[in-house]
Amino acid sequence: MIKGTEKWYKCKRIKKYVLIRDKGSVPLSLSTWAEREATISEVGSIYTIQGFDLNYVGVILGPSVTYDYENDQLKIITGNYKDTEAFKGKDEFDDPEFIKETIILNSINVLLKRGIKGLYIFASDPVLRAHLIKLYETRTDAYGRMRVAEDKSDYH
């Protein structure tokens, strides 16, 4: 617990809010993770990118997303999903597995739509990665500017 007086003030000189305490002031950054220049080389998450439209987005499809060749569709393995906080309270529903799959698919949907100029996708699952590459190789002219990251091409 902090003793003494604390008040928030907007400081016009540094254009930030500061916390004034008895022993000095502490600047408060109001910029979000996605707005900070230093984060250009960092990996964010659904929580840090949600609501932002960025020039380019890279999405890593983790081990919870694979491809089912037999049914020609994505397969979600909820047991491999690492964000267990997203699943809190979902076991109370009649079909918790469906709810968990929906949460994962909604997260992917949000992430895939954040890039204005481009999207980079990496699938950690080799089966899904092979299928995505196959889709790339058999693409139509409508997707002519699409590239594979392994080509090491100029992406701009």
Side-chain angles (χ1 to χ4, degrees):
M1 183 173 187
I2 300 170
K3 295 180 180 179
T5 309
E6 290 186 359
K7 292 187 180 180
W8 289 102
Y9 296 95
K10 186 169 185 178
C11 182
K12 291 180 183 178
R13 182 174 53 83
I14 60 173
K15 297 180 181 176
K16 291 186 178 183
Y17 283 86
V18 293
L19 174 61
I20 306 296
R21 293 186 178 158
D22 291 341
K23 297 180 181 178
S25 63
V26 178
L28 170 70
S29 173
L30 294 179
S31 63
T32 64
W33 176 87
E35 296 172 310
R36 295 183 196 137
E37 192 170 325
T39 61
I40 192 69
S41 60
E42 295 179 5
V43 176
S45 70
I46 183 68
Y47 304 108
T48 56
I49 197 173
Q50 191 171 9
F52 286 96
D53 288 328
L54 305 172
N55 286 334
Y56 295 92
V57 173
V59 176
I60 300 170
L61 298 173
S64 59
V65 185
T66 186
Y67 180 71
D68 179 355
Y69 271 105
E70 190 174 306
N71 295 307
D72 190 28
Q73 64 185 18
L74 284 179
K75 181 178 179 185
I76 304 300
I77 306 169
T78 59
N80 291 347
Y81 195 62
K82 301 301 179 195
D83 184 10
T84 54
E85 289 293 314
F87 293 159
K88 276 198 172 176
K90 306 308 184 259
D91 289 327
E92 301 168 6
F93 291 92
D94 291 336
D95 190 354
E97 194 66 18
F98 173 77
I99 299 292
K100 292 175 182 180
E101 286 180 15
T102 302
I103 289 170
I104 294 170
L105 289 171
N106 285 343
S107 295
I108 293 169
N109 184 38
V110 168
L111 293 170
L112 293 177
K113 292 180 177 177
R114 297 295 99 191
I116 296 169
K117 294 181 180 180
L119 167 68
Y120 301 90
I121 300 175
F122 175 79
S124 64
D125 178 70
V127 174
L128 178 56
R129 190 176 331 121
H131 182 67
L132 290 172
I133 290 172
K134 178 183 171 192
L135 288 174
Y136 167 75
E137 291 171 345
T138 59
R139 72 190 184 284
T140 63
D141 289 339
Y143 298 99
R145 296 192 66 221
M146 190 167 124
R147 298 187 181 132
V148 174
E150 284 77 15
D151 286 348
K152 298 185 180 8
S153 301
D154 177 23
Y155 296 107
H156 301 284

Short mmCIF file of all heavy atoms in Angstrom, two decimals, residues 2 7 14 19 28 43 48 51 56 61-62 65 80 84-85 92 96 110 116 131 137 140 142 145 147 149-150 155-156:
data_model
loop_
_atom_site.label_atom_id
_atom_site.label_comp_id
_atom_site.label_asym_id
_atom_site.label_seq_id
_atom_site.Cartn_x
_atom_site.Cartn_y
_atom_site.Cartn_z
N ILE A 2 0.50 2.22 -0.82
CA ILE A 2 1.27 3.44 -0.93
C ILE A 2 0.69 4.46 0.03
O ILE A 2 -0.50 4.72 0.04
CB ILE A 2 1.23 4.00 -2.36
CG1 ILE A 2 1.81 2.97 -3.32
CG2 ILE A 2 1.96 5.33 -2.46
CD1 ILE A 2 1.60 3.31 -4.77
N LYS A 7 -2.57 11.63 -6.95
CA LYS A 7 -3.53 12.26 -7.85
C LYS A 7 -3.01 12.13 -9.26
O LYS A 7 -1.82 12.18 -9.51
CB LYS A 7 -3.74 13.73 -7.50
CG LYS A 7 -4.44 13.95 -6.18
CD LYS A 7 -4.76 15.40 -5.98
CE LYS A 7 -5.46 15.57 -4.63
NZ LYS A 7 -5.80 16.95 -4.35
N ILE A 14 4.60 17.13 -21.43
CA ILE A 14 5.00 15.83 -21.99
C ILE A 14 3.83 15.10 -22.64
O ILE A 14 3.97 13.99 -23.13
CB ILE A 14 5.67 14.93 -20.92
CG1 ILE A 14 4.72 14.65 -19.76
CG2 ILE A 14 6.97 15.53 -20.45
CD1 ILE A 14 5.25 13.64 -18.77
N LEU A 19 1.23 10.44 -12.45
CA LEU A 19 0.76 10.15 -11.12
C LEU A 19 1.62 10.97 -10.17
O LEU A 19 2.84 10.80 -10.13
CB LEU A 19 0.89 8.66 -10.81
CG LEU A 19 0.56 8.22 -9.39
CD1 LEU A 19 -0.89 8.53 -9.05
CD2 LEU A 19 0.83 6.74 -9.22
N LEU A 28 2.61 8.08 -16.96
CA LEU A 28 1.74 6.96 -17.35
C LEU A 28 1.64 6.95 -18.86
O LEU A 28 1.25 7.94 -19.47
CB LEU A 28 0.35 7.13 -16.74
CG LEU A 28 -0.73 6.18 -17.25
CD1 LEU A 28 -0.44 4.76 -16.76
CD2 LEU A 28 -2.09 6.63 -16.82
N VAL A 43 5.83 -10.38 -30.70
CA VAL A 43 4.65 -11.15 -31.08
C VAL A 43 3.53 -10.80 -30.12
O VAL A 43 3.69 -10.87 -28.91
CB VAL A 43 4.94 -12.67 -31.03
CG1 VAL A 43 3.68 -13.47 -31.31
CG2 VAL A 43 6.05 -13.03 -32.00
N THR A 48 -3.82 -8.23 -27.68
CA THR A 48 -3.07 -7.01 -27.98
C THR A 48 -3.42 -6.43 -29.34
O THR A 48 -3.19 -5.25 -29.57
CB THR A 48 -1.55 -7.28 -27.94
OG1 THR A 48 -1.24 -8.35 -28.84
CG2 THR A 48 -1.09 -7.63 -26.55
N GLY A 51 -9.12 -4.98 -32.34
CA GLY A 51 -9.56 -3.61 -32.52
C GLY A 51 -8.62 -2.76 -33.35
O GLY A 51 -8.93 -1.61 -33.66
N TYR A 56 0.51 -4.75 -41.83
CA TYR A 56 0.76 -6.17 -42.05
C TYR A 56 0.56 -6.92 -40.73
O TYR A 56 0.87 -6.41 -39.67
CB TYR A 56 2.20 -6.41 -42.54
CG TYR A 56 2.46 -5.82 -43.89
CD1 TYR A 56 2.98 -4.54 -44.01
CD2 TYR A 56 2.17 -6.54 -45.04
CE1 TYR A 56 3.20 -3.98 -45.25
CE2 TYR A 56 2.39 -5.98 -46.30
CZ TYR A 56 2.91 -4.70 -46.39
OH TYR A 56 3.13 -4.15 -47.61
N LEU A 61 -0.68 -20.04 -36.56
CA LEU A 61 -1.71 -21.02 -36.19
C LEU A 61 -1.01 -22.11 -35.40
O LEU A 61 -0.20 -22.86 -35.94
CB LEU A 61 -2.38 -21.58 -37.44
CG LEU A 61 -3.11 -20.54 -38.30
CD1 LEU A 61 -3.59 -21.17 -39.60
CD2 LEU A 61 -4.25 -19.91 -37.54
N GLY A 62 -1.27 -22.15 -34.12
CA GLY A 62 -0.58 -23.06 -33.22
C GLY A 62 -1.06 -24.49 -33.31
O GLY A 62 -1.85 -24.86 -34.20
N VAL A 65 -4.69 -25.98 -34.14
CA VAL A 65 -5.33 -25.90 -35.46
C VAL A 65 -4.61 -26.85 -36.42
O VAL A 65 -3.41 -26.74 -36.63
CB VAL A 65 -5.28 -24.47 -36.02
CG1 VAL A 65 -6.07 -24.38 -37.32
CG2 VAL A 65 -5.80 -23.47 -35.00
N ASN A 80 -5.09 -28.70 -27.16
CA ASN A 80 -3.78 -28.11 -27.47
C ASN A 80 -3.77 -26.59 -27.35
O ASN A 80 -2.75 -25.97 -27.57
CB ASN A 80 -3.34 -28.50 -28.89
CG ASN A 80 -3.01 -29.96 -29.00
OD1 ASN A 80 -2.87 -30.66 -28.01
ND2 ASN A 80 -2.87 -30.42 -30.23
N THR A 84 -5.93 -21.00 -21.67
CA THR A 84 -6.97 -21.66 -20.88
C THR A 84 -7.91 -20.65 -20.21
O THR A 84 -9.04 -21.01 -19.87
CB THR A 84 -6.34 -22.58 -19.82
OG1 THR A 84 -5.42 -21.81 -19.03
CG2 THR A 84 -5.60 -23.73 -20.48
N GLU A 85 -7.47 -19.41 -20.04
CA GLU A 85 -8.35 -18.39 -19.45
C GLU A 85 -9.57 -18.15 -20.34
O GLU A 85 -10.63 -17.82 -19.84
CB GLU A 85 -7.58 -17.08 -19.25
CG GLU A 85 -6.54 -17.14 -18.15
CD GLU A 85 -7.15 -17.30 -16.76
OE1 GLU A 85 -8.13 -16.58 -16.45
OE2 GLU A 85 -6.67 -18.16 -16.01
N GLU A 92 -19.70 -25.38 -18.16
CA GLU A 92 -21.06 -25.42 -17.63
C GLU A 92 -22.10 -25.60 -18.74
O GLU A 92 -23.25 -25.90 -18.46
CB GLU A 92 -21.35 -24.12 -16.87
CG GLU A 92 -20.40 -23.88 -15.72
CD GLU A 92 -20.50 -22.46 -15.15
OE1 GLU A 92 -21.39 -21.71 -15.59
OE2 GLU A 92 -19.69 -22.13 -14.29
N PRO A 96 -19.59 -28.08 -24.15
CA PRO A 96 -18.43 -27.22 -23.92
C PRO A 96 -17.37 -27.32 -25.02
O PRO A 96 -16.69 -26.34 -25.31
CB PRO A 96 -17.88 -27.70 -22.57
CG PRO A 96 -18.43 -29.05 -22.37
CD PRO A 96 -19.73 -29.09 -23.11
N VAL A 110 -10.63 -12.98 -36.03
CA VAL A 110 -10.22 -11.61 -35.70
C VAL A 110 -8.79 -11.36 -36.18
O VAL A 110 -8.51 -10.35 -36.82
CB VAL A 110 -10.34 -11.36 -34.18
CG1 VAL A 110 -9.64 -10.07 -33.78
CG2 VAL A 110 -11.80 -11.33 -33.76
N ILE A 116 -4.12 -4.63 -43.26
CA ILE A 116 -4.66 -3.83 -44.36
C ILE A 116 -3.95 -4.18 -45.67
O ILE A 116 -4.58 -4.41 -46.69
CB ILE A 116 -4.51 -2.33 -44.05
CG1 ILE A 116 -5.32 -1.95 -42.83
CG2 ILE A 116 -4.92 -1.48 -45.25
CD1 ILE A 116 -5.04 -0.58 -42.29
N HIS A 131 -1.13 -28.17 -46.60
CA HIS A 131 -2.38 -27.85 -47.29
C HIS A 131 -2.41 -26.38 -47.71
O HIS A 131 -2.85 -26.06 -48.82
CB HIS A 131 -3.58 -28.18 -46.41
CG HIS A 131 -4.88 -27.93 -47.09
ND1 HIS A 131 -5.31 -28.67 -48.17
CD2 HIS A 131 -5.83 -27.00 -46.88
CE1 HIS A 131 -6.48 -28.21 -48.59
NE2 HIS A 131 -6.82 -27.19 -47.82
N GLU A 137 -0.16 -22.90 -54.27
CA GLU A 137 0.36 -23.36 -55.57
C GLU A 137 -0.74 -23.53 -56.61
O GLU A 137 -0.47 -23.46 -57.81
CB GLU A 137 1.14 -24.67 -55.38
CG GLU A 137 2.44 -24.46 -54.62
CD GLU A 137 3.11 -25.76 -54.23
OE1 GLU A 137 2.46 -26.83 -54.29
OE2 GLU A 137 4.29 -25.70 -53.84
N THR A 140 -5.80 -19.20 -58.20
CA THR A 140 -6.21 -18.63 -59.48
C THR A 140 -5.58 -17.25 -59.65
O THR A 140 -4.94 -16.73 -58.73
CB THR A 140 -7.74 -18.51 -59.54
OG1 THR A 140 -8.16 -17.59 -58.53
CG2 THR A 140 -8.41 -19.86 -59.34
N ALA A 142 -6.91 -14.50 -59.50
CA ALA A 142 -7.47 -13.54 -58.55
C ALA A 142 -6.55 -13.35 -57.34
O ALA A 142 -6.61 -12.33 -56.66
CB ALA A 142 -8.85 -14.01 -58.08
N ARG A 145 -1.03 -11.81 -56.42
CA ARG A 145 -0.02 -11.16 -55.60
C ARG A 145 0.31 -11.95 -54.34
O ARG A 145 1.15 -11.56 -53.56
CB ARG A 145 -0.47 -9.76 -55.22
CG ARG A 145 -0.61 -8.86 -56.45
CD ARG A 145 -0.78 -7.42 -56.09
NE ARG A 145 0.45 -6.95 -55.46
CZ ARG A 145 0.48 -6.15 -54.41
NH1 ARG A 145 -0.62 -5.72 -53.87
NH2 ARG A 145 1.62 -5.75 -53.90
N ARG A 147 1.98 -14.53 -51.89
CA ARG A 147 3.32 -15.10 -51.87
C ARG A 147 3.49 -16.00 -50.65
O ARG A 147 2.81 -15.86 -49.66
CB ARG A 147 4.36 -13.99 -51.81
CG ARG A 147 4.30 -13.10 -53.02
CD ARG A 147 5.45 -12.13 -53.01
NE ARG A 147 5.36 -11.27 -54.17
CZ ARG A 147 5.48 -9.97 -54.12
NH1 ARG A 147 5.73 -9.37 -53.00
NH2 ARG A 147 5.38 -9.26 -55.22
N ALA A 149 6.00 -17.17 -47.61
CA ALA A 149 7.10 -16.58 -46.85
C ALA A 149 8.43 -17.29 -47.15
O ALA A 149 9.48 -16.66 -47.17
CB ALA A 149 6.80 -16.63 -45.36
N GLU A 150 8.39 -18.58 -47.41
CA GLU A 150 9.62 -19.33 -47.67
C GLU A 150 10.29 -18.91 -48.97
O GLU A 150 11.44 -19.22 -49.22
CB GLU A 150 9.37 -20.84 -47.68
CG GLU A 150 9.20 -21.43 -46.30
CD GLU A 150 7.82 -21.16 -45.69
OE1 GLU A 150 6.89 -20.77 -46.41
OE2 GLU A 150 7.68 -21.33 -44.48
N TYR A 155 8.35 -8.41 -49.97
CA TYR A 155 6.93 -8.43 -49.66
C TYR A 155 6.27 -7.06 -49.72
O TYR A 155 5.13 -6.93 -49.42
CB TYR A 155 6.72 -9.03 -48.27
CG TYR A 155 7.14 -10.47 -48.21
CD1 TYR A 155 8.28 -10.84 -47.54
CD2 TYR A 155 6.38 -11.45 -48.84
CE1 TYR A 155 8.68 -12.18 -47.50
CE2 TYR A 155 6.78 -12.78 -48.80
CZ TYR A 155 7.90 -13.12 -48.12
OH TYR A 155 8.28 -14.43 -48.08
N HIS A 156 7.01 -6.04 -50.08
CA HIS A 156 6.42 -4.69 -50.07
C HIS A 156 6.05 -4.24 -51.45
O HIS A 156 6.63 -4.40 -52.41
CB HIS A 156 7.37 -3.70 -49.42
CG HIS A 156 7.68 -4.10 -48.01
ND1 HIS A 156 6.82 -3.92 -46.99
CD2 HIS A 156 8.77 -4.69 -47.48
CE1 HIS A 156 7.36 -4.37 -45.88
NE2 HIS A 156 8.54 -4.84 -46.15
#
